[in-house]
Amino acid sequence: MAIVTGRTNGDTDGGDTGGASARSDGPAGTAGSSPAGTGTGGIPAQTGPGRSPAHPAPVTGRIRQPVALIRLLGGLFAAALTLLLADYARATTGGIAADVAEAASLVPRPLASLAGGLTTAAVLLLPVGLAVRRLLGPDRRRALQQVSDGLLAAVLAYGATLGVDLWADGLAPHSLLTALTQPLPGEVLGRTEPVYGYLAPVLAFMTASGSRERRLPWSVLALYGLAGLAGGFATPTALLLGLLIGWTGAHGTLYAVGTPDPCPRPGEILRALRESGLRPVEAHPTGPDRYRVRQADDRPELDVQLLDRQAVTAAAVRRAWRRLRLHTAPDPRVLRSPRTGLEHEALVTYAALAAGVRTRDIAATAGLGQDTALIAYRRLPGRTLDQLADEEITDALLTDAWGQLALLQRREIAHRALVPSSLLVDDAGTVHLVDFADGDIAATELVLRCDVAQLLTTLALRTGAARSVRTATAVLGPDPVDAALPLLQPIALTHTTRRALKLHAKRAGAPATVEGPPAPGTAAGAVPAPRRGAPDGAATDGPAADGPGPGGLLEEIRAEALRARPQVVGRPVRLERLRPRTLLAVVGGVVAGWLLIPQLFAAEDNPVSALADADPWWLLLALVAAATSHVTAAMGFVGFVPERLDFRNAVLAQLAGSFVKLVSPGGVGGVALNTRLLQRAGIPTAQALSSVGVGTMIGLVLHLLQLGAFVYLLDMQPGGSELDALPAVVGGLAGAAALLAVVSAIPVARRWLAARLRPLTTEVLPRLLDLLRSPARLAVGVTGQLLVSICLISCLYCCARAIGREPSFASVAVVFLVGNAAGSAAPTPGGAGAVDGALITLLQQTASMEKGGALAAVALYRLLTLILPVLPGWAAMAWLQRRRAL
């Protein structure tokens, strides 16, 4: 169904010069013999396509539109990419320029010179003509501001052009200057400009001044560029760079100074509604982009909602990100026009009405200029769910709300935003569903289940989980409710609901949410394995997932739904297609590869040649040390678990961690993997987490003790100290103690620190006391933790000896302990980039190795400890999963 929209016409009412509302007492037209506000057959009247354009709204201020920032960043990226390709793809750009120059040589020189002169004059006169046309228009004040913006953008673009010219002539590589320029034609000495002529400032003026003319200005610019190419005064790269600078400068100016607010004033809204066949009298703002309009002759009031390009663009960016991240997100409809958004909302509303859902009738739709549209609904008197008192929310009201959702579900219509403000309750206690702007027709089953999960949570926040689940089951039946349980995840809910869940959790003193889908093989209401430090809405990093506390509202809803049918097993649903952490890890890996790979192969001792010339015996010892580290890691793991474990499974789990850490930063993946192994071994979640926490805490203490010991040994070596690190270590510890004292003196910081340390005192320390009753097992754990570091240090030392370098073992130990700790905080897979850079730098400073040798040694070390174990780690993980040990 298409919604035909047009533009309003006429002047603003005399009384609408500064007030918040507008009043119109003049006669209002009607749509033929149909009732006011409707067309033939009762269809809401709409402005026709033949109406003349309205005056733009008077300027009331300036706003920064997100679309300007998006285009600014896109232009900067495109300009940087153009310069990069011009420098690195010199053969391609040079070939294109040579082909263009050969074709231009066929044009007679006098004709090319004449065309160049005429087009240059036309380009210089083009901004003048556009400015005069704008200033002679109906809204001169707005036109004057836009012309001023265009002039500012033109000046900035011309300055940027001169800056690029100077940079290319003096500071840029000679290869880039050659790619952007060519010798001047004829017998004139010199080269052409890196950025061609007046292209950038003229395009900047056209864009920033808001000119609606397209054909003539772009035809002039095209002829100007062709004349430059034909005359030999420009290269294709210079033309492209000029266009990008002008376009980027225009949007940078618009974002910096803002654009005149295009939001229409109430008088414009009244005029648009009159031309739609309604009889509006007065308009009052009721919220952002919302108005309440009173009509003449006791006709129903109207709720008017505006859709402007700024709001549509901001919403499109959010939709695009959610679409990239979630399987259930709506189509992004990136940078759609306000009219397209209006048509979509009207279409879904009509579909809901056809399904029998109670909602507001559409009275009219209209376009207000190029950047704004409106949709007018016949007002329904009532209050939204969040405005009702608790005693007013009866079971009958909840049942009615579920009945309306059931009508949508039967027709496969998704609302997507069933928040309290979307449930309107009239004076009779009847529920109406409103605000279908984000809705969809022909929705998938997953999206429909998300609507059920959303309404379950919305109603539970007001009435409790029991009433929400009971009324949902009575209307929808148990199967749809059970199917929605795996979708009770924060990421599947709206931002408003997630914020309400956090407030509810604070009041209840319990965690708010379940942070991911249930682990495979668990019931829909079961608590997945926890993962510490997960942000709101984050998914799990490994087989272990974060679970809520006993008071979490989402867990209460699950428990209530499973109380009647405990045998139900909910199939896990992973909604995220891309996690922010994964995106950050991929970007970090790409950046690390971009920085490290050229250095690796540009070095005198690159890893390829170093591996070919490496001493095989030292290389074999390094391989043995790397393999032994998995066995010692298993010792350090099982030694802190009082229960009996299968040591073979523990070793395979440590090997599987080599595969898991490729997709998780730091030691997060290993912690989740170890926790899951303990859970599958029959150890309760709390004790499993405590055992892993004890191992991590003791490992940190042993790491610091080893660092101190090797620093002391390094300073005590004969022949002078290679590293005067002992004062630095002592100073670092003293600084940490001082910071802890400052934090303890500030009440807010002290409470924050106490909350973070509470798991240590309530879970880890009691588990450690249990371990003290078994000194032999504790000794195994401590020994294993020490031997893990020794094995990895030995691997790095053997790699250095394999390529012919002879650093001291103590210096390599300090390098490993410091570099691995510093790099493990990086969010990249396996600390890629950060660990490598830290180890290379420290080997040069501490072990007195040259850059090439340090690069080769670290590359061999990472090959043995990060790359080679991936395939065996995958096989170990698959074997453990088949044996149900993970």
Side-chain angles (χ1 to χ4, degrees):
M1 177 183 297
I3 306 298
V4 183
T5 60
R7 305 176 187 172
T8 60
N9 189 19
D11 298 327
T12 57
D13 295 315
D16 182 33
T17 57
S21 64
R23 191 174 183 86
S24 173
D25 297 322
T30 60
S33 60
S34 299
T38 62
T40 305
I43 299 176
Q46 299 152 14
T47 55
R51 301 189 187 275
S52 57
H55 295 299
V59 178
T60 58
R62 286 182 173 269
I63 57 175
R64 288 186 174 91
Q65 298 193 9
V67 66
L69 178 60
I70 295 172
R71 291 172 176 169
L72 168 63
L73 297 177
L76 291 174
F77 176 77
L81 184 62
T82 300
L83 292 173
L84 186 66
L85 292 177
D87 191 19
Y88 283 92
R90 291 187 292 271
T92 302
T93 55
I96 295 175
D99 293 340
V100 171
E102 183 178 356
S105 63
L106 302 177
V107 180
R109 179 56 47 193
L111 181 59
S113 300
L114 178 62
L118 292 177
T119 54
T120 300
V123 162
L124 293 176
L125 292 175
L126 181 60
V128 178
L130 294 176
V132 171
R133 181 181 176 86
R134 292 302 309 278
L135 293 174
L136 294 180
D139 191 353
R140 297 181 181 178
R141 181 182 176 185
R142 182 186 180 92
L144 182 60
Q145 288 198 1
Q146 290 184 325
V147 169
S148 301
D149 293 343
L151 290 174
L152 177 60
V155 171
L156 294 177
Y158 189 69
T161 299
L162 295 178
V164 172
D165 289 344
L166 293 175
W167 171 76
D169 288 336
L171 300 176
H174 180 71
S175 58
L176 180 60
L177 179 64
T178 305
L180 294 176
T181 62
Q182 63 185 11
L184 288 170
E187 311 222 348
V188 183
L189 298 178
R191 302 184 68 86
T192 59
E193 298 174 345
V195 182
Y196 181 54
Y198 305 105
L199 202 59
V202 173
L203 179 59
F205 178 86
M206 288 169 47
T207 305
S209 63
S211 174
R212 300 294 178 183
E213 298 290 337
R214 288 291 183 265
R215 295 182 181 178
L216 179 61
W218 278 104
S219 299
V220 172
L221 289 181
L223 291 174
Y224 179 64
L226 290 175
L229 292 175
F233 295 103
T235 63
T237 311
L239 290 179
L240 178 60
L241 197 57
L243 292 174
L244 291 174
I245 290 176
W247 193 76
T248 305
H251 291 292
T253 302
L254 292 178
Y255 187 74
V257 303
T259 55
D261 190 354
C263 183
R265 301 181 70 179
E268 295 289 327
I269 296 172
L270 294 178
R271 183 169 56 257
L273 294 175
R274 286 199 304 271
E275 294 189 356
S276 299
L278 303 177
R279 303 188 65 183
V281 174
E282 193 172 13
H284 292 278
T286 58
D289 296 330
R290 294 178 182 268
Y291 289 84
R292 179 177 299 172
V293 177
R294 182 171 63 86
Q295 296 196 82
D297 302 332
D298 295 329
R299 299 192 179 198
E301 291 185 336
L302 304 174
D303 286 326
V304 176
Q305 182 175 351
L306 302 181
L307 293 89
D308 58 64
R309 190 172 296 276
Q310 178 193 9
V312 168
T313 302
V317 173
R318 291 193 297 269
R319 286 193 190 97
W321 167 241
R322 288 183 64 82
R323 184 67 176 176
L324 179 66
R325 186 181 179 190
L326 301 179
H327 293 286
T328 58
D331 292 333
R333 298 185 287 273
V334 178
L335 303 185
R336 67 183 184 183
S337 67
R339 294 187 182 186
T340 305
L342 179 148
E343 292 172 359
H344 177 80
E345 182 174 353
L347 176 64
V348 180
T349 302
Y350 279 129
L353 287 169
V357 177
R358 290 190 294 270
T359 187
R360 299 176 297 187
D361 293 327
I362 298 178
T365 60
L368 296 169
Q370 296 288 335
D371 297 326
T372 310
L374 67 81
I375 183 168
Y377 295 96
R378 290 187 177 87
R379 184 172 180 271
L380 286 172
R383 293 170 294 166
T384 56
L385 184 66
D386 53 344
Q387 295 173 336
L388 298 178
D390 290 341
E391 58 272 12
E392 295 180 276
I393 305 178
T394 63
D395 284 355
L397 187 147
L398 299 180
T399 301
D400 192 20
W402 285 112
Q404 295 301 298
L405 179 62
L407 294 174
L408 288 178
Q409 299 263 312
R410 288 196 196 105
R411 295 293 184 91
E412 297 182 348
I413 302 172
H415 189 284
R416 289 188 177 272
L418 289 170
V419 295
S421 59
S422 299
L423 278 69
L424 184 66
V425 183
D426 61 18
D427 296 336
T430 304
V431 177
H432 303 257
L433 301 183
V434 297
D435 294 338
F436 283 90
D438 292 324
D440 275 330
I441 59 176
T444 63
E445 180 185 357
L446 191 61
V447 175
L448 296 176
R449 290 160 62 189
C450 280
D451 267 1
V452 177
Q454 174 65 54
L455 190 57
L456 275 171
T457 310
T458 297
L459 298 181
L461 283 167
R462 290 300 313 271
T463 65
R467 292 179 63 190
S468 177
V469 172
R470 185 177 67 250
T471 53
T473 305
V475 177
L476 301 179
D479 291 337
V481 176
D482 293 337
L485 297 185
L487 295 171
L488 285 172
Q489 307 173 39
I491 199 168
L493 306 175
T494 64
H495 177 71
T496 303
T497 305
R498 293 198 298 269
R499 187 168 62 246
L501 283 171
K502 290 181 180 180
L503 294 176
H504 181 274
K506 288 180 180 179
R507 290 194 299 266
T513 59
V514 177
E515 302 299 345
T522 60
V527 180
R531 172 174 62 81
R532 297 175 297 171
D536 177 41
T540 60
D541 286 311
D546 212 354
L553 182 61
L554 297 184
E555 181 59 26
E556 291 179 17
I557 297 174
R558 279 196 180 93
E560 190 65 33
L562 292 173
R563 186 168 300 168
R565 305 177 73 188
Q567 75 279 7
V568 173
V569 177
R571 183 181 179 183
V573 176
R574 183 167 296 282
L575 300 178
E576 285 184 301
R577 70 170 86 239
L578 176 66
R579 305 173 190 169
R581 182 174 295 172
T582 303
L583 180 62
L584 184 61
V586 171
V587 172
V590 171
V591 172
W594 181 277
L595 296 176
L596 287 177
I597 290 176
Q599 298 183 39
L600 292 175
F601 291 94
E604 180 180 353
D605 294 319
N606 65 69
V608 178
S609 60
L611 182 59
D613 300 333
D615 188 319
W617 294 109
W618 281 111
L619 198 57
L620 180 61
L621 287 175
L623 182 60
V624 171
T628 307
S629 67
H630 298 292
V631 180
T632 57
M635 292 174 54
F637 169 58
V638 299
F640 299 109
V641 181
E643 295 80 5
R644 185 175 181 83
L645 293 176
D646 188 336
F647 188 73
R648 179 186 58 180
N649 288 349
V651 174
L652 292 176
Q654 308 314 305
L655 184 59
S658 303
F659 172 72
V660 172
K661 68 182 179 182
L662 282 183
V663 292
S664 62
V668 175
V671 169
L673 199 67
N674 290 334
T675 305
R676 185 62 178 169
L677 181 69
L678 296 179
Q679 287 179 315
R680 299 297 289 180
I683 300 175
T685 301
Q687 286 85 341
L689 281 173
S690 299
S691 295
V692 175
V694 169
T696 303
M697 183 185 69
I698 293 183
L700 176 62
V701 173
L702 294 176
H703 188 96
L704 294 175
L705 291 176
Q706 283 179 299
L707 177 61
F710 280 113
V711 166
Y712 177 78
L713 292 176
L714 185 60
D715 287 339
M716 294 299 294
Q717 284 181 348
S721 66
E722 296 183 38
L723 175 67
D724 191 12
L726 188 58
V729 173
V730 174
L733 294 176
L739 180 61
L740 181 61
V742 172
V743 170
S744 301
I746 303 175
V748 176
R750 184 171 62 249
R751 287 194 295 269
W752 176 86
L753 182 62
R756 296 302 183 272
L757 294 179
R758 189 174 296 117
L760 177 66
T761 57
T762 59
E763 298 175 2
V764 176
L765 291 182
R767 190 69 164 173
L768 182 58
L769 293 177
D770 292 339
L771 287 170
L772 292 177
R773 300 173 184 173
S774 178
R777 184 172 290 273
L778 186 61
V780 171
V782 172
T783 304
Q785 291 278 8
L786 290 171
L787 289 178
V788 170
S789 298
I790 297 298
C791 287
L792 294 176
I793 293 169
S794 300
C795 180
L796 180 59
Y797 175 76
C798 292
C799 288
R801 294 299 302 268
I803 62 171
R805 306 304 187 270
E806 298 184 2
S808 66
F809 189 84
S811 64
V812 173
V814 172
V815 167
F816 170 80
L817 294 171
V818 175
N820 195 61
S824 61
T828 55
V835 172
D836 309 272
L839 292 178
I840 292 170
T841 302
L842 290 171
L843 280 176
Q844 296 177 70
Q845 297 177 354
T846 306
S848 302
M849 292 177 62
E850 78 283 0
K851 183 177 181 180
L855 275 168
V858 171
L860 288 177
Y861 166 75
R862 296 289 273 175
L863 177 66
L864 296 176
T865 58
L866 181 67
I867 305 302
L868 289 184
V870 170
L871 188 58
W874 171 79
M877 188 169 182
W879 190 87
L880 290 173
Q881 287 177 333
R882 283 198 304 270
R883 294 297 184 98
R884 298 187 178 276
L886 277 182

